[in-house]
Amino acid sequence: MIALSLRDIADTVDGVLHLPAGEADPERLVNGSVQTDSREVVQGSIFVAKPGATTDGHLYAPLAAERGAVLLLVERVLDLPVAQIVVADVVVALGSLASTVVSRVRSEGRLKVVAVTGSNGKTTTKNLLREILERVGPTVAARGSFNNQVGAPMTMLEVTHDTAYLVVEMGASAVGAIARLVGLVRPDIGIVLSVGLAHAGEFGDLDATVRAKSEMVTELLPTDVAVLNADDPRVAHMSEKTGALVVFFGEYGNAMVRATDVRASRAGTTFVLHLTSGEFRPVTFRVLGEHHVMNALAAAAAAEVLGVPLDIIVAGLESVQRAERWRMEVLGGRDNVTVINDAYNASPDSMTAALKTLAQIAEPGSRTIAVLGEMAELGSLAGEEHDRVGLLAVRLNISQVIVVGQGARRMHISTINEGSWDGESAYVDTADEAFELLRTLVQPGDTVLVKSSNSAGLRFLGDRLGDLFS
């Protein structure tokens, strides 16, 4: 974080500063990292005592102080020999502090901010954009999937006076969440990737999801840029809701940044990248799955707006080998067995894309195995969407389906009902049972997809299978 005085921080977050005995200097500067996890605190850090669903960060403040925290952001005064700022709500205070840091650095005239949202692909697009932008200037981007009301400000607070680019990932579980984050950071470029059924149970319906994702662009200024998916009608129509300049990306329609000659294989996807300038260049994109080409186009579009040359954009895209840990991650290799571990998130859209990729990349004559777990947070749509995935697996002629866990059982039932064969769909209750079944089932040359929501825990099954066939 940039250096701020204790008094300055207290004023910024509308808090009350409490200094420990023996310290009477509210002008002392603090510029360490900001942490919500006491285990990550180092000498000079600011510790944010965030209340949680199952615990309370205030309980870990003593450990943070012991590890070298020089300031605690708290909701009540603690009996600790460390400077403390007491606020009404530490999450709100964290956002205020992050907003101030970004605003002050931006006032120096160099920093550009890109924000990314969408039902799928946020983390991949953020990672691709970071790889591109780091080649032209110091870049700060979210770690992992830091995209909520805590994670996004934590990313923002990593900005320093040297930072040229800030890439913020923005997720939402309700209408208004993205608007709050946009208000904190005021992006120069807002990217909307897609609108789908991810988290539909939390939003209530698809219309609410559209409203939530639209918040990325409704408050952009005429001098800002909205980067929108031309191939998703719900996203494309957001151009009518923004006063910003619009840049469309996609493979079809009125896309200004587009991909042609797209060809997918086990090694990744090749395509020709076309920019709004009219320049074009072939790309060898090693991230598995044709659907990730859309994320590459979004990153390329934002980079072009920022003035990044085509050769640097292509070099950045080609340098990325995987979307993210547990996202279309290619493992295995022994006996020509390929394991695709894509079990960090799952929605109907991403499940469809993963199954289509599995069918598409398998070598002629080889078998495909789909190990599928629950898609969480679908609410009343859960039953029919799990049914639909089971039907799709049959229609794509997946050789073997293994469904894991009660939450996903309807996939198995739908697969059996739709299929005309016997035994090609199996159901097990646990990941351990699935692993034992796969140990005997997988043959040389097989391609195995492991796909589920994070809560199903199948990402660890994917890792075990990767190790087994490495």
Side-chain angles (χ1 to χ4, degrees):
M1 190 184 78
I2 64 173
L4 297 173
S5 71
L6 294 172
R7 186 195 304 276
D8 200 0
I9 295 173
D11 291 344
T12 293
V13 301
D14 194 23
V16 178
L17 176 62
H18 294 263
L19 295 174
E23 179 175 353
D25 183 12
E27 302 304 324
R28 178 166 63 85
L29 296 178
V30 176
N31 65 348
S33 64
V34 180
Q35 304 293 347
T36 58
D37 187 336
S38 60
R39 295 167 297 183
E40 296 185 11
V41 168
V42 296
Q43 187 64 43
S45 291
I46 300 171
F47 177 66
V48 180
K50 181 179 73 69
T54 58
T55 187
D56 183 350
H58 292 78
L59 300 175
Y60 300 92
L63 177 59
E66 181 182 321
R67 293 179 63 88
V70 296
L71 174 62
L72 307 178
L73 192 59
V74 294
E75 294 180 0
R76 59 181 183 272
V77 178
L78 303 176
D79 185 19
L80 293 169
V82 181
Q84 301 172 45
I85 296 176
V86 181
V87 297
D89 186 317
V90 295
V91 174
V92 172
L94 180 67
S96 298
L97 180 58
S99 183
T100 295
V101 166
V102 172
S103 178
R104 292 192 184 185
V105 174
R106 178 182 255 149
S107 69
E108 298 166 7
R110 184 184 185 192
L111 179 66
K112 294 293 183 182
V113 180
V114 183
V116 185
T117 195
S119 297
N120 298 291
K122 294 183 293 295
T123 301
T124 301
T125 302
K126 174 259 301 179
N127 289 344
L128 294 171
L129 199 48
R130 177 180 54 204
E131 289 295 326
I132 295 168
L133 296 179
E134 282 181 339
R135 296 166 184 266
V136 293
T139 301
V140 170
R143 293 172 286 162
S145 295
F146 271 31
N147 61 28
N148 61 14
Q149 302 298 314
V150 174
M154 292 286 286
T155 300
M156 295 158 59
L157 285 165
E158 294 181 20
V159 165
T160 70
H161 295 291
D162 295 327
T163 305
Y165 305 104
L166 168 63
V167 185
V168 184
E169 185 179 333
M170 294 184 178
S173 57
V175 173
I178 292 175
R180 286 191 290 274
L181 293 176
V182 167
L184 293 179
V185 74
R186 303 302 316 168
D188 301 286
I189 300 173
I191 301 172
V192 185
L193 299 167
S194 62
V195 173
L197 292 176
H199 312 295
E202 295 181 345
F203 282 107
D205 58 37
L206 198 54
D207 288 341
T209 306
V210 173
R211 292 197 301 274
K213 301 304 181 184
S214 296
E215 293 167 5
M216 175 62 77
V217 300
T218 52
E219 300 304 316
L220 293 179
L221 302 175
T223 53
D224 299 329
V225 178
V227 175
L228 303 178
N229 182 348
D231 296 352
D232 185 330
R234 297 184 184 94
V235 176
H237 287 157
M238 292 179 191
S239 63
E240 302 169 2
K241 301 178 181 181
T242 183
L245 173 70
V246 174
V247 174
F248 287 112
F249 67 91
E251 295 184 46
Y252 313 106
N254 61 341
M256 302 149 74
V257 174
R258 65 188 189 279
T260 60
D261 197 22
V262 179
R263 300 182 182 183
S265 70
R266 285 193 185 194
T269 308
T270 61
F271 63 95
V272 178
L273 171 63
H274 301 257
L275 299 183
T276 60
S277 64
E279 296 179 281
F280 60 93
R281 187 77 53 83
V283 178
T284 301
F285 190 46
R286 290 184 285 177
V287 177
L288 189 64
E290 185 177 325
H291 56 289
H292 282 303
V293 170
M294 295 299 290
N295 302 325
L297 293 177
E304 185 187 20
V305 170
L306 292 168
V308 180
L310 176 58
D311 59 341
I312 294 179
I313 293 174
V314 172
L317 294 177
E318 292 189 334
S319 70
V320 179
Q321 298 187 39
R322 67 180 185 188
E324 180 68 72
R325 184 84 166 95
W326 299 313
R327 290 175 172 89
M328 297 303 285
E329 184 176 14
V330 180
L331 305 171
R334 179 171 60 82
D335 296 332
N336 199 29
V337 172
T338 300
V339 178
I340 305 168
N341 193 356
D342 191 30
Y344 187 82
N345 279 319
S347 67
D349 291 335
S350 68
M351 187 73 82
T352 297
L355 284 171
K356 287 182 177 179
T357 297
L358 174 63
Q360 187 176 41
I361 68 171
E363 295 178 356
S366 66
R367 299 194 313 163
T368 51
I369 301 174
V371 185
L372 307 177
E374 182 180 12
M375 299 180 291
E377 300 176 350
L378 291 177
S380 61
L381 299 173
E384 63 186 86
E385 291 302 325
H386 283 84
D387 287 345
R388 190 174 66 81
V389 169
L391 300 180
L392 179 64
V394 174
R395 291 166 184 173
L396 289 173
N397 201 29
I398 303 302
S399 307
Q400 175 73 57
V401 176
I402 298 174
V403 176
V404 185
Q406 283 290 334
R409 188 177 179 88
R410 282 185 63 160
M411 286 185 194
H412 172 59
I413 296 170
S414 296
T415 303
I416 292 173
N417 290 340
E418 178 74 4
S420 59
W421 26 247
D422 179 48
E424 280 82 356
S425 182
Y427 171 80
V428 294
D429 284 313
T430 68
D432 286 340
E433 292 177 77
F435 180 76
E436 292 305 319
L437 176 58
L438 287 159
R439 284 170 62 101
T440 62
L441 182 67
V442 176
Q443 301 173 2
D446 287 351
T447 303
V448 184
L449 168 70
V450 182
K451 179 69 174 172
S452 73
S453 286
N454 195 3
S455 58
L458 296 195
R459 62 195 186 280
F460 303 118
L461 170 62
D463 286 343
R464 292 176 70 188
L465 291 172
D467 290 340
L468 180 64
F469 294 103
S470 64

